[in-house]
Amino acid sequence: ELFRKRTEKQTRRMGVSDLSHSFKSRLEKVFLEYPSKYVGLFQKVVSTTEDINNLSKAMVMFFISENKIEQVISWAIRSDIVRVGTKDELFRKRTLAGTMIVEYTTFITHDFIKNIMAKPIKSIIHILNKSKDDEDNPSVYLVSEILEIIISRLVQVNEEFPLALKTMLRTMHQKVEKVYIGNGNNIVVSFIFSTLIIPCLLNPAQFGITLTTTNTYNRMAVTLSKILNNIGNDTLFIQGARQDFTQFNDLIEASSQFKGIFVGNMLDYKEKISKSYFKGLISPQIRETAFRSIHYHLYYYLEPLTEAKARKKSTSSFVIYFY
């Protein structure tokens, strides 16, 4: 609903909320015939964080509805590897391609993550309620016990990850290994932690797991998030001024075997995504809203690149760009 209202506001500001049928048909045709090409053009010119977030969501919805999302996400993975400077910054919300990958992952896994994380989070809450540890300085034993719950759960269900996610992660792993040899497992695990597991730990209410959380839980969630982030990045803690996290370095070093088993099992599958896999996931109303948002950003960012000198002449002025 927020997505729809934001898009309507954008198109009203642009003054072209009603697309002619002929123009709309041509625009859709071009986007569906050459999706990666025109997403790549957007990648070069879309500048603000707000527009990147809005356009990413719109394009993910639109290409899912047209069963073109695999091709686009494969391009996005390749593009992010090329454009982002270091492996630790890959597949984050820093580029249009990275944001599209995150939006797509969030869309296809929301219910799944809720199902697999509900039990660990409730177990964490139960353990913390019984614990007598200092909430500002939990013991290594307590953190290790809780971390084991999370990792065991992930290993237990990794073969049950949605096929669309496993397909994307296999592509990610293969393309990363070509550039950052030997880092495929780390980057895949880091992506899963930062995009799915850590957000759920930090805000379980958003996923419908709990209504509220205590300060004790919130502090533990922050500690766990830092440790999981370092496990994914294969990075040890250094001595800090406020809190010493180096005591958890043994947990990070002990996790290397887990990453190999976890990624190996998850990506060992033979199924293929069928043509009907995404059918019905996006309603006609959401598809129309997504396309209007694409149209808005097209007009705002790409129209100045056409032969038309004035943006307000007509929507037909930037059709030249496509033909």
Side-chain angles (χ1 to χ4, degrees), residues 1-12 50-63 103 107 282-297:
E1 182 65 15
L2 289 173
F3 179 50
R4 181 185 64 78
K5 289 181 178 179
R6 186 182 299 117
T7 300
E8 287 181 353
K9 182 179 179 181
Q10 289 172 337
T11 52
R12 281 198 303 271
E50 181 181 3
D51 284 344
I52 287 174
N53 290 337
N54 292 339
L55 181 58
S56 296
K57 187 182 293 291
M59 289 197 294
V60 165
M61 299 295 179
F62 177 72
F63 287 122
E103 288 287 351
F107 178 81
I282 305 297
S283 69
Q285 294 81 6
I286 291 297
R287 182 194 180 282
E288 178 67 18
T289 299
F291 188 73
R292 287 183 178 277
S293 182
I294 293 171
H295 174 226
Y296 164 77
H297 290 91

Side-chain angles (χ1 to χ4, degrees), residues 99-254:
T99 306
M100 287 183 67
I101 294 167
V102 172
E103 288 287 351
Y104 173 64
T105 303
T106 302
F107 178 81
I108 61 177
T109 60
H110 185 276
D111 291 336
F112 174 73
I113 291 301
K114 174 183 176 180
N115 292 337
I116 69 169
M117 289 300 294
K119 186 175 180 180
I121 286 175
K122 290 176 181 178
S123 296
I124 293 170
I125 292 172
H126 177 70
I127 290 171
L128 292 177
N129 287 338
K130 293 171 57 179
S131 173
K132 296 181 180 179
D133 275 24
D134 180 358
E135 63 182 35
D136 290 322
N137 189 26
S139 67
V140 175
Y141 176 80
L142 179 63
V143 174
S144 176
E145 180 184 5
I146 293 174
L147 197 61
E148 178 66 24
I149 292 172
I150 297 171
I151 290 178
S152 296
R153 180 62 172 164
L154 291 177
V155 171
Q156 180 185 7
V157 302
N158 65 357
E159 294 181 8
E160 302 173 18
F161 273 54
L163 180 58
L165 178 64
K166 292 194 290 187
T167 302
M168 184 195 73
L169 293 177
R170 178 185 279 179
T171 301
M172 182 183 291
H173 190 277
Q174 291 170 345
K175 292 185 183 300
V176 164
E177 281 289 340
K178 291 180 180 180
V179 179
Y180 300 103
I181 299 172
N183 284 278
N185 289 351
N186 286 341
I187 290 174
V188 167
V189 171
S190 177
F191 177 78
I192 292 172
F193 283 170
S194 64
T195 307
L196 302 175
I197 307 304
I198 291 175
C200 191
L201 277 174
L202 293 176
N203 194 0
Q206 184 178 341
F207 290 78
I209 296 175
T210 62
L211 294 177
T212 59
T213 53
T214 63
N215 289 335
T216 302
Y217 173 86
N218 293 338
R219 289 189 178 91
M220 177 59 73
V222 170
T223 298
L224 291 170
S225 297
K226 292 179 179 179
I227 296 172
L228 290 172
N229 186 62
N230 279 24
I231 288 175
N233 293 330
D234 202 24
T235 304
L236 298 178
F237 290 109
I238 59 175
Q239 184 71 44
R242 297 184 59 186
Q243 188 174 359
D244 182 16
F245 279 89
T246 58
Q247 59 183 323
F248 303 122
N249 282 342
D250 288 344
L251 300 179
I252 295 171
E253 292 177 327

